[in-house]
Amino acid sequence: MRFGYTLLTEQAGPRRLVADAARAERAGFEFEVMSDHFSPWLDEQGHSPQAWSVLGAVAEVTGDVDLMSFVTCPTMRYHPTVVAQHAATVQELSGGRFLLGLGAGENLNEHVVGRGWPPVNVRHDMLGEALQIINDLFDGGYTNHDGEHFRVDSAKLWDLPQQRVPIGVAVSGDQSVDRFAAASEAMIAVEPAGGLCRRWDDMRGRLGLGSSRKVGQLPVSWGRDTDEAARRAREQFRWFAGGWKVNAELPGTQAFAAATQYVREEDVAAAIPCGGSAQAVVDAARPFREAGFTDLALVQVGGDHQEEFLEAAESELLPELRKQLG
């Protein structure tokens, strides 16, 4: 298993994210993922810079780590042609280190363009059509498209990287796995569900596509004061308790605050390792390894608590994770 670091745009400004990216590479993380939101989940998080601008800067201050959007919705806030151009540019800037992570989106971020929020089956249809357009543009030459959800008129990527941008897709159940396993090079999920990995591999195997990366994500509230770490996790990460099927539907920070007002510190601490125990992080990561995930990105809760976490990652967390799960 490879271990990565999450640049969470919801909890830090752009300059801090860039500095954290450089420090995370020095700490020994093998890849870095970046969220792509228009809004934080909660007011307490307090940030949401434009992800692609930050990714360009991150590509310049890092040299070896793989980079990934985690994840971008290419259907409403962005047109798929724009996402393809963004991804091709970051691939060029990073020297071929970028993977384009895509998903069907969340109401929180996509409603801002005033197009409403379609049901999940329509969102999957839109994502499938967007994938087709993006792949056509990555093939080179001019692309024209007249589909159910998108039109493209004579679009071409003029700076096409020599190394094609690989694509990963976020999935949450059988429907999304069945639809996107053949259309992407990596699976992305945030829960250690072994059924997802097995179904993904089975689908790809039946089509003769072979195995692929399966990327998960684990929140951590690291800190030597366990009580403070649990308080911080509850304050800034209680939105996590709803699960993605709920989280995708809520429209703003006030809705997330109302939906999670009765979540207690002990509820969050039961789901997120809180404190300064490396073994607790290993134990929380183990279900992802057992489920079949090949990559796991850690999220340190709290934008102002990254340095302590990164120092611990370098000295004890990453060595212990690699010893037991690598």
Side-chain angles (χ1 to χ4, degrees):
M1 177 174 271
R2 301 168 73 239
F3 297 99
Y5 175 72
T6 300
L7 297 158
L8 200 69
T9 60
E10 297 82 355
Q11 66 178 14
R15 295 178 67 86
R16 180 59 189 264
L17 289 166
V18 174
D20 289 343
R23 178 67 181 91
E25 181 174 50
R26 295 196 301 273
F29 285 99
E30 295 162 278
F31 66 99
E32 298 180 7
V33 306
M34 179 176 288
S35 56
D36 184 356
H37 278 211
F38 193 85
S39 170
W41 289 283
L42 296 165
D43 288 347
E44 291 90 337
Q45 293 177 311
H47 293 277
S48 203
Q50 212 286 323
W52 291 94
S53 300
V54 181
L55 273 169
V58 167
E60 289 297 294
V61 301
T62 57
D64 296 310
V65 290
D66 291 340
L67 304 176
M68 183 189 308
S69 56
F70 200 97
V71 292
T72 290
C73 176
T75 63
M76 298 184 71
R77 187 165 42 109
Y78 304 117
H79 191 278
T81 56
V82 175
V83 172
Q85 186 186 37
H86 286 342
T89 300
V90 172
Q91 183 75 316
E92 281 281 271
L93 287 171
S94 66
R97 294 183 282 130
F98 183 66
L99 185 148
L100 174 60
L102 299 175
E106 299 163 312
N107 193 8
L108 173 69
N109 306 297
E110 307 309 317
H111 80 273
V112 297
V113 295
R115 294 178 56 192
W117 187 235
V120 65
N121 62 311
V122 176
R123 301 199 302 264
H124 284 170
D125 288 344
M126 295 173 73
L127 179 57
E129 192 173 327
L131 270 169
Q132 178 185 341
I133 292 167
I134 291 168
N135 273 311
D136 286 348
L137 287 164
F138 286 168
D139 286 340
Y142 287 94
T143 292
N144 293 279
H145 180 89
D146 186 8
E148 182 178 356
H149 301 288
F150 302 106
R151 288 191 60 189
V152 181
D153 183 6
S154 191
K156 175 181 176 179
L157 296 178
W158 289 91
D159 287 281
L160 194 67
Q162 288 188 344
Q163 184 174 338
R164 186 187 181 95
V165 181
I167 295 175
V169 175
V171 299
S172 59
D174 291 349
Q175 179 184 0
S176 50
V177 168
D178 292 350
R179 179 146 197 178
F180 299 116
S184 57
E185 289 87 353
M187 185 192 94
I188 300 168
V190 294
E191 296 179 355
L196 288 180
C197 292
R198 289 190 295 273
R199 193 176 186 97
W200 180 272
D201 288 340
D202 287 346
M203 287 291 297
R204 291 182 61 83
R206 273 184 255 155
L207 297 169
L209 297 174
S211 61
S212 71
R213 291 174 68 182
K214 292 171 283 291
V215 187
Q217 190 177 54
L218 174 68
V220 174
S221 188
W222 181 268
R224 298 304 178 184
D225 185 332
T226 301
D227 291 339
E228 192 282 327
R231 181 203 60 76
R232 176 173 14 109
R234 193 268 170 193
E235 177 190 74
Q236 299 203 15
F237 241 70
R238 64 187 184 275
W239 63 270
F240 196 72
W244 285 106
K245 289 187 177 181
V246 172
N247 293 346
E249 305 300 330
L250 298 179
T253 58
Q254 291 182 336
F256 276 93
T260 59
Q261 61 182 312
Y262 298 115
V263 175
R264 303 167 300 172
E265 282 186 17
E266 52 264 41
D267 299 325
V268 178
I272 297 174
C274 299
S277 168
Q279 188 59 50
V281 177
V282 172
D283 291 342
R286 192 181 306 279
F288 285 92
R289 182 71 177 86
E290 293 174 347
F293 285 81
T294 61
D295 301 71
L296 185 64
L298 304 183
V299 186
Q300 165 66 347
V301 176
D304 296 331
H305 293 265
Q306 300 303 302
E307 183 57 36
E308 180 184 10
F309 170 74
L310 290 168
E311 289 178 359
E314 184 173 12
S315 63
E316 54 184 310
L317 273 176
L318 287 173
E320 200 61 33
L321 284 164
R322 289 178 178 129
K323 176 183 176 182
Q324 297 192 43
L325 303 178

